[in-house]
Amino acid sequence: MGIPLENTKDIEKPGNKIENGNGKTEDIEAVAKKSHKTSNLEAATHLFKGSVGAGLFAMGDCFKNGGLAGATLLLPVLAVICVHCEQMLIDGSILAVEKTPGATFYDYPETVEKCFEKGPAPLRRLSKLMRLIVEMFLCVTQFGFCSIYFVFITENLHQVLEIHGLNISPTLTMLIALLPAMIPSLMTNLKYISPVSAFANVALIFGLVATLTIAFTSGPMPSLSERHLFTSGTQMSLFFGTALFSYEGIALILPLRNSMKEPEKFSSRFGVLNITMVIITIIFMFTGFTSYVKWGEEVQGSITLNLNVEEIFSQAIKIVAALGVFFGYPIQFFVMIKILWPPLKQNLSYAQSHPIQTQVALRFILILMTFGVALLVPKLHLFISLIGAFCSTALAFVIPVFIDFVVKAQIPKSLTLWIYFKNMAILLVAVLGIVTGTYESIVEIVKAFYA
C-alpha cells in the first residue's frame, strides 16, 4: 500500500494515453499518480519535520539527564542504531514486495506481516499478530506525539498571554490552539502537506537559532565544570527515552520512501535518510550541549520556556517555535490516520458509501482525543520520556530486529554469527531502555501528579 491518493479524480478510461512532452506517451493513470509523488527535497523536508519537533527543544533536558559527556557520546550511537534499524525495515519491505506478485510498496505494518508470512514455517502463524502489534504501537506513539504537540504549544503560548495581562487558564489556551489544528490535519495527501511542513521547518529553525543566540548573548556561559559529565542510572533511563522520542521517525520511513518519485534514492549511501539524519544529529547535539551548559539543572522540557518572557524578542521566539510544532502536527497525524482508516473503511458500510464524510469525522474525533489527553499531561518532559522509552524503542529497535531475523532466515547462509551478535546487542539495548526508561518515567509522572 502506497501513499493514498484520495484527492486524485477517477480516471474515466484506464489505459488512455497522453504525450509526456518527450515525444512518448504514458498511461493517464500513471501520470496522475506520478504527479502526486514527492521529490527528494520534499521527502527530506518531511523526514526532518517528523524527527525534529518538540523533541528538538527537549534536548536540554535530554543532556541534563545524560550528562555533558554521557549524552555527547551516546546520542550519535543511538542515531546510528536507529538508522541501521530503519535500513533493516526498508530491506524487509523491498524483499516482501519482490516476493509478492503485483505488489508495489508496503508500509511498516504490512512489511512486518508479509515478512513473517514468507518467513520460517513456525513464524508464519504470527504474521497477523505482529501486524496488529505494530499498528497498536504506531497509533499509540503517533497519538502521544500529537498530544505532546498540544502541550508544547500551550506552555509557550500561555507564558506570552500571561505577560500581556491575559490571565486565562492553560486549558483555555489549549482550546485556542485546537481550532486551527483541525485545518491542516484534514489534509489527506503528503504532497499537499509539503508547504505546511516546509513552513514548520523554517519556524523551528528560526526558533532554535534565536533561542541559542539568546543563550550565548544574555551573559557569560557557565563553566563546564559546573555541569555533570555523567549521571546516575535513573537519569540515564530518562535520557534514553527522550533521545528515542526525538529520533522517532521510523513510522514515516516507508510512507516517505513510498511517496518518492525515485524511492531508491531514499536509502542509498548519500541518500535522503543518511544525510538528513546526520544533520539532525548534529543539531540535536549542539542544541542539547549548549542548553544544558547555559541553564544547567533549571533547563525545562522545552528550552524556549527558559527564555525571559518579559522580553519582546523572547515572546516572538516562543510564538514562532509553537507555530513550528503546530504545523508539524499534520505529518504526525497522517501516520495515525493511514493505519486506522483502511480497516474502518473496509468494515463499515457507511464509510464505503460516504468515504469523505467518514474520514473527516474520524479525523475530527481523533483530534479531539489528542486534545483531551493533552489536558491530562502534567509534565511535558516526562511524557516525552515515557513515549520514547516504551513505544518508540519497540518500533525503532525491537521490531526491525525481528524483521531482520525473519528476512535473513529466508536467504541461505545469511544468518551469520555477526548478524546474531549485532541484532542481540541491539535487543539488549532496547530491553534495558524499555524496562528502565518506562519504570522511571512512570515513577516521575506519579510524583508529578501527587506533588
Side-chain angles (χ1 to χ4, degrees), residues 160 163-164 308-319:
V160 175
I163 203 66
H164 287 283
N308 184 359
V309 73
E310 295 181 358
E311 297 177 0
I312 298 298
F313 187 47
S314 295
Q315 295 172 23
I317 294 172
K318 293 173 185 287
I319 292 174

Side-chain angles (χ1 to χ4, degrees), residues 58-272:
M59 277 295 110
D61 182 69
C62 184
F63 269 66
K64 180 184 74 174
N65 288 321
L68 287 179
T72 301
L73 293 173
L74 290 176
L75 204 60
V77 174
L78 288 179
V80 170
I81 297 176
C82 283
V83 172
H84 178 68
C85 289
E86 289 165 353
Q87 186 62 59
M88 289 194 293
L89 175 63
I90 292 171
D91 292 343
S93 180
I94 293 173
L95 182 64
V97 168
E98 290 175 351
K99 291 197 170 188
T100 308
T104 305
F105 291 117
Y106 287 131
D107 58 16
Y108 196 161
E110 291 171 325
T111 294
V112 175
E113 180 182 15
K114 295 301 179 182
C115 285
F116 273 77
E117 278 184 2
K118 307 295 183 181
L123 299 178
R124 293 174 187 173
R125 68 184 68 179
L126 300 176
S127 61
K128 298 293 184 183
L129 176 62
M130 290 302 299
R131 172 173 180 155
L132 179 61
I133 290 173
V134 170
E135 288 178 334
M136 288 173 58
F137 275 126
L138 281 173
C139 283
V140 171
T141 302
Q142 299 307 124
F143 189 92
F145 287 174
C146 291
S147 297
I148 288 169
Y149 277 22
F150 267 122
V151 179
F152 180 95
I153 295 165
T154 301
E155 288 187 344
N156 284 277
L157 185 59
H158 185 254
Q159 278 191 349
V160 175
L161 293 177
E162 270 194 328
I163 203 66
H164 287 283
L166 297 175
N167 296 317
I168 60 177
S169 66
T171 301
L172 185 56
T173 305
M174 193 177 294
L175 188 61
I176 294 173
L178 172 62
L179 295 178
M182 292 184 178
I183 299 173
S185 298
L186 293 177
M187 297 178 181
T188 58
N189 193 287
L190 277 177
K191 183 73 176 179
Y192 306 136
I193 299 176
S194 292
V196 177
S197 188
F199 175 82
N201 287 338
V202 172
L204 283 173
I205 292 173
F206 169 81
L208 176 65
V209 172
T211 300
L212 295 181
T213 299
I214 290 179
F216 281 112
T217 59
S218 61
M221 295 288 285
S223 171
L224 299 185
S225 61
E226 298 179 29
R227 305 293 178 240
H228 297 294
L229 294 181
F230 296 95
T231 57
S232 65
T234 298
Q235 284 187 286
M236 286 302 298
S237 300
L238 297 175
F239 157 81
F240 184 86
T242 304
L244 259 294
F245 170 88
S246 302
Y247 274 117
E248 180 46 45
I250 197 167
L252 294 171
I253 293 300
L254 291 179
L256 287 178
R257 182 184 182 276
N258 297 350
S259 72
M260 290 178 64
K261 295 174 184 176
E262 300 173 289
E264 67 279 359
K265 292 186 177 180
F266 183 80
S267 54
S268 59
R269 177 173 297 179
F270 298 103
V272 170

